[in-house]
Each structure stands twice: as structure tokens, then as C-alpha cells.
Amino acid sequence: MQPIGKTRWAIPEGYIPPDSTGEGRALVSHEAACILNANDREAHVEIIVLFSDRDPAGPYRVTVPPMRTLHLRFNDLTDPESIPQGTDYASVFDSDLPIVVQHTRLDSRQAALALLSTIAYGAD
Amino acid sequence: MQPIGKTRWAIPEGYIPPDSTGEGRALVSHEAACILNANDREAHVEIIVLFSDRDPAGPYRVTVPPMRTLHLRFNDLTDPESIPQGTDYASVFDSDLPIVVQHTRLDSRQAALALLSTIAYGAD
Amino acid sequence: MQPIGKTRWAIPEGYIPPDSTGEGRALVSHEAACILNANDREAHVEIIVLFSDRDPAGPYRVTVPPMRTLHLRFNDLTDPESIPQGTDYASVFDSDLPIVVQHTRLDSRQAALALLSTIAYGAD
Amino acid sequence: MQPIGKTRWAIPEGYIPPDSTGEGRALVSHEAACILNANDREAHVEIIVLFSDRDPAGPYRVTVPPMRTLHLRFNDLTDPESIPQGTDYASVFDSDLPIVVQHTRLDSRQAALALLSTIAYGAD
């Protein structure tokens, strides 16, 4: 398959809701970066997380196998540090191969989940 | 009408919620790719579905008549295989004519539906 | 102000939910195209609505005053014909001046509204 | 870090819901422009707010520190004037450095919040 995407992406909106009303991992409030790697090689992605009032965190490093997607939850990042809940953040992605990034949040703070999603900003 | 769109599209986020609370087809949890064909000829579209932990599925083949829209539910794809519910996936679209693709999910797992939507990523 | 935008836009997703649970115009289920005109002249916009199984409707014609925004509800279009509820559609916008178009749906079929939104696809 | 983004952005959709059902600042109905500044210098941003039936408001001026994100609530703007609730508006952003802008609304008018989000339109 012909590769598709860009190597730099940005998501200005970031917020992990601190509460949940659903049961199980699927309904826990979370925020995800969905990464599509349509290359025939592994994509190595570095993520920097920016905040409003402190220095950035990272780089976080993830690998996406060839012809696979990784729905990465920001909640699951721990190395080099966790991202606090209930805190404004943003993120920048740098990959060694073209990828496509989509941002999604599931918010179940109130008793009926809410969703948002957008393709991230891909740098020219 | 002058054609509009691109011939390659990607949607990194994909997830068919495994439950629903609504009644009827309209309120069943589903995920759709809305395809707009503003050409005066049929558009032939091939879709590859990528997963996190197995080889891709497809190609799925759909035809969109001239000057029509097709709101394709991933739930309805069966050939060459169905897409399992509750599973992370992503998709890549290749068309022989310029089209526009928008991604939408209706999630009615909890008793009050949620929606997300974004224009897909169109390759340059 | 320097103009911003493009002259052709497309929204593949279109669906006016047939029911509502809210009170008043603000909470009626609706779908809107939000148009921003940052020019110092009126923008004249023609809209064609495409369906899945019949010929397109339109053109619908709207005028957006200079340095104004128009949040156009598809529900309100009547000339040359209304857009039926509960029906899949899509839309293409042609303007004589650069504009920006954003697609939004408020869905209050179930007792707790849902929202979706995305910047439309702007043709190069 | 290499800068990312553009210097002009537009958000055609704008509406601050006039009611809320949640408790605390986090669950108040609000609309935000999330701004990412991945430069090593302060970004100075001017915002013009357009309406449907009156002259534009602004410019509003905000500063985003280097390598920080600002999740700016339109609800909080007061200088030169507040943005009324329950009113259609749109916004245009001009920055002296490349930034990325994402639009988000949290709507808690009914008893279960709803969310929308999209990357704003970045001018070429």
C-alpha cells in the first residue's frame, strides 16, 4: 500500500476528565490519539506534551507496527511521567514515517457519555 | 458540477460500540463513512481496514453513483468479512475519482446517545 | 481585514434527526452550516444538496453580509424545496468570495442532547 | 522544537450555551479555543469576533508563553467587551508566530453533557 499521512501532528486540546460513570475500561473517561501506520515498516513516534503552566513532558516514545493502528490513550502514558487528570494539555507528534493522527475523547463524568473527535493538525 | 475532493482518505479512529440503548436502525450504535461523489460518473472505492493486532481486512468495494452520497456503515460490511464490535480499527479509502469522506459515530451504549464526526484525512 | 477561506466547500454527512426532546428553537434537533464571511463585501453562496437515492436539490441561495457569520440551519431551507428529516444527505457550497464553513449537528432525540462538529472540506 | 502551525485561523461556529447542569467551573457550559504555541518565544494573538447582526467585537489580545498551551474560554473574554450567551458568533485569530488552534464546546444544558471539537481552519 502507498503510504499516507504526514510526519508532524499537533493536538492543541487535551484534558483527561477526572471522573467516570461507566463500567470497565471501555467506558472510563479517556483521551486518545489514534495513529494509523500504512507503511510496510514500523513507525517510531515521539510525543511531547505541553501544559499551560509548566515545562513540557516527554518525549514519550511509541512504536506502531507496519499496517496497523494504535489507539493510544494518554491515560496510559507513564514514561517518563503520567499526565495528570483534570489538567489542560496539548501534544505534538513526530514520526520517522508518514502517519495519520486523530484525536478522540470519551467523557463519562455525567451519566451518559459524551464524545469528541477531530483529525489532528498535520504540518505541511 | 465541478468535481471536489481527493482520491485517498484515511480515518485512524474506528470502533463500533458493542451495545445500544436506542430503538430501530437509526439509534443502533454505529460508525459510518459518509462519501460524497460530486462527479458525473460512478466512483469506485476500495477500503482497507487496519487493526491493532492482526493483518488488515479487505479490500471492501463500494460504488457511489454520480451526484449521490453514500453513508456507509462499517457495521454493514460483510464481504470479505465482518468488522468485529468493540475492537479498535482504522481505515484507508482509495477511489478512482475525487470524493470527500467524513467519519461519524453514533454511540448509544449509555441511555443518551453521543456523537462524533470529523472530515477524514485527505492525502495530497 | 484580510479575507480568509476558500470558495468551494463540501459536507458529506447530513441528517436532520426527526425527533427532539428539548424545548424551544435552541434545543430542536437541527443541522447547521456555519458560514464566516471575513470580506468587506457580501458573499453570495449557492448550495447543492445530494441524496443517496434521488437527484440533487437546489441550488439554495444565501447571502452573508460583510464581516458577519451566518449559522444556516438546513431545517430552515425551503426554496426550492425542504430537506426531509431522517434522510441521508450531503452538501456542496460555492461562493463568489472566500468563506469558511463548519458543520454542526445538535441531536436531542434522546433525553440529553448530543453534538458533533467539524470544519467542512475546503477545495484547493 | 521546530515550530508547527499557521498564523491565521478561523472558527465559523460559536455559541455559548446559556444554561448548565454541572457543578463547578469544569462542567459549566463553555466554548474554548485551544491554542498551542510550540515556539521558543511568546505568541501574541489577536482575536476578532463576528456576529450575525452587528459589527464585530475586538480585537481581543492574548499571549501564549513559549512551549505552552492556552485553553482560552470565550466565556472569560471581557476586554473590550463580553460575548453574550445564547448568541451566534464566529472568530478569526491572527498570531505573530505559527500556532495551532482547536475549537471545543462543552454543553451541559441538559442533564448529561455534550461535546464537540474540531481543528480550526488554518489559512494557507
Side-chain angles (χ1 to χ4, degrees):
Chain A
M1 173 174 282
Q2 190 184 351
I4 183 168
K6 299 179 183 252
T7 56
R8 297 203 81 207
W9 293 88
I11 305 172
E13 167 70 289
Y15 182 85
I16 302 174
D19 302 302
S20 301
T21 57
E23 289 177 23
R25 176 174 165 88
L27 291 176
V28 168
S29 289
H30 63 268
E31 194 152 62
C34 299
I35 305 173
L36 183 159
N37 176 16
N39 300 282
D40 54 10
R41 286 180 295 148
E42 275 189 351
H44 303 93
V45 185
E46 285 196 0
I47 307 166
I48 300 288
V49 175
L50 288 78
F51 298 95
S52 63
D53 56 2
R54 50 154 283 194
D55 283 345
Y60 299 88
R61 295 190 170 86
V62 296
T63 298
V64 188
M67 294 303 289
R68 294 289 186 276
T69 186
L70 172 65
H71 291 195
L72 176 70
R73 292 194 181 191
F74 288 95
N75 309 41
D76 292 342
L77 294 175
T78 56
D79 181 12
E81 64 183 290
S82 296
I83 298 178
Q85 297 184 331
T87 301
D88 293 343
Y89 67 92
S91 51
V92 178
F93 296 69
D94 279 282
S95 170
D96 59 349
L97 295 177
I99 56 174
V100 188
V101 177
Q102 183 171 350
H103 171 224
T104 299
R105 182 190 303 157
L106 183 150
D107 186 329
S108 62
R109 282 176 289 181
Q110 295 188 342
L113 63 84
L115 294 170
L116 65 81
S117 189
T118 183
I119 297 288
Y121 173 78
D124 292 320
Chain B
M1 173 176 282
Q2 190 184 348
I4 183 169
K6 299 180 184 248
T7 57
R8 298 203 80 206
W9 293 87
I11 304 173
E13 166 71 288
Y15 181 85
I16 301 174
D19 302 301
S20 302
T21 56
E23 289 177 22
R25 176 175 164 87
L27 291 175
V28 167
S29 289
H30 63 268
E31 194 152 61
C34 300
I35 305 173
L36 183 158
N37 176 15
N39 300 282
D40 54 10
R41 285 180 295 149
E42 276 188 350
H44 303 93
V45 185
E46 285 196 0
I47 306 166
I48 300 288
V49 175
L50 289 78
F51 298 95
S52 63
D53 56 2
R54 50 154 283 195
D55 283 344
Y60 299 89
R61 295 190 170 86
V62 296
T63 299
V64 189
M67 295 303 289
R68 293 290 186 276
T69 185
L70 172 65
H71 291 195
L72 175 70
R73 290 194 183 192
F74 288 95
N75 309 42
D76 292 343
L77 295 174
T78 57
D79 181 12
E81 63 183 290
S82 295
I83 298 177
Q85 297 184 331
T87 300
D88 293 342
Y89 67 92
S91 51
V92 178
F93 296 70
D94 279 282
S95 171
D96 59 349
L97 295 177
I99 56 174
V100 187
V101 177
Q102 183 171 350
H103 170 226
T104 299
R105 182 189 302 157
L106 184 151
D107 186 329
S108 61
R109 281 176 291 183
Q110 295 187 342
L113 62 85
L115 295 170
L116 65 80
S117 189
T118 183
I119 296 289
Y121 173 77
D124 293 320
Chain C
M1 174 176 281
Q2 190 184 351
I4 183 168
K6 299 181 184 246
T7 57
R8 296 203 83 207
W9 293 86
I11 304 173
E13 166 70 288
Y15 181 84
I16 302 174
D19 302 301
S20 302
T21 56
E23 290 177 22
R25 176 174 165 86
L27 292 176
V28 167
S29 289
H30 63 268
E31 194 152 62
C34 300
I35 305 174
L36 183 158
N37 176 14
N39 299 282
D40 54 10
R41 285 179 297 148
E42 276 188 350
H44 303 92
V45 185
E46 286 196 0
I47 307 166
I48 299 288
V49 175
L50 288 78
F51 298 96
S52 64
D53 56 1
R54 50 154 284 195
D55 283 344
Y60 299 89
R61 295 189 170 86
V62 296
T63 298
V64 188
M67 295 302 290
R68 293 289 186 277
T69 185
L70 172 65
H71 291 194
L72 175 71
R73 291 193 182 192
F74 288 95
N75 310 43
D76 293 342
L77 294 174
T78 57
D79 180 13
E81 63 183 289
S82 296
I83 298 177
Q85 297 184 331
T87 301
D88 293 343
Y89 67 91
S91 50
V92 178
F93 296 70
D94 279 283
S95 171
D96 58 349
L97 296 177
I99 56 174
V100 187
V101 177
Q102 183 171 350
H103 170 226
T104 299
R105 182 190 302 156
L106 183 151
D107 186 330
S108 61
R109 282 177 289 183
Q110 295 188 342
L113 62 84
L115 294 170
L116 65 79
S117 189
T118 183
I119 296 290
Y121 173 76
D124 293 322
Chain D
M1 174 177 281
Q2 190 184 350
I4 184 167
K6 298 179 184 252
T7 56
R8 296 203 83 206
W9 293 88
I11 305 173
E13 167 71 287
Y15 181 85
I16 302 174
D19 301 302
S20 302
T21 56
E23 289 176 23
R25 177 174 164 87
L27 291 174
V28 167
S29 290
H30 63 267
E31 195 152 62
C34 300
I35 306 173
L36 183 159
N37 176 15
N39 299 283
D40 55 10
R41 286 179 297 148
E42 276 188 350
H44 303 93
V45 185
E46 286 195 1
I47 308 166
I48 300 288
V49 175
L50 288 78
F51 298 94
S52 64
D53 56 2
R54 50 154 283 194
D55 284 344
Y60 300 88
R61 295 190 169 87
V62 296
T63 299
V64 188
M67 295 303 290
R68 294 289 186 274
T69 186
L70 172 66
H71 292 195
L72 175 69
R73 292 193 182 192
F74 287 96
N75 310 42
D76 292 342
L77 294 174
T78 57
D79 180 12
E81 62 183 291
S82 296
I83 298 177
Q85 297 183 331
T87 300
D88 293 343
Y89 66 92
S91 51
V92 178
F93 296 70
D94 279 282
S95 171
D96 58 349
L97 295 177
I99 56 174
V100 187
V101 177
Q102 183 171 351
H103 171 225
T104 299
R105 182 190 302 157
L106 183 150
D107 186 329
S108 62
R109 282 176 290 182
Q110 295 188 342
L113 63 84
L115 294 170
L116 64 80
S117 189
T118 183
I119 296 288
Y121 172 78
D124 292 322

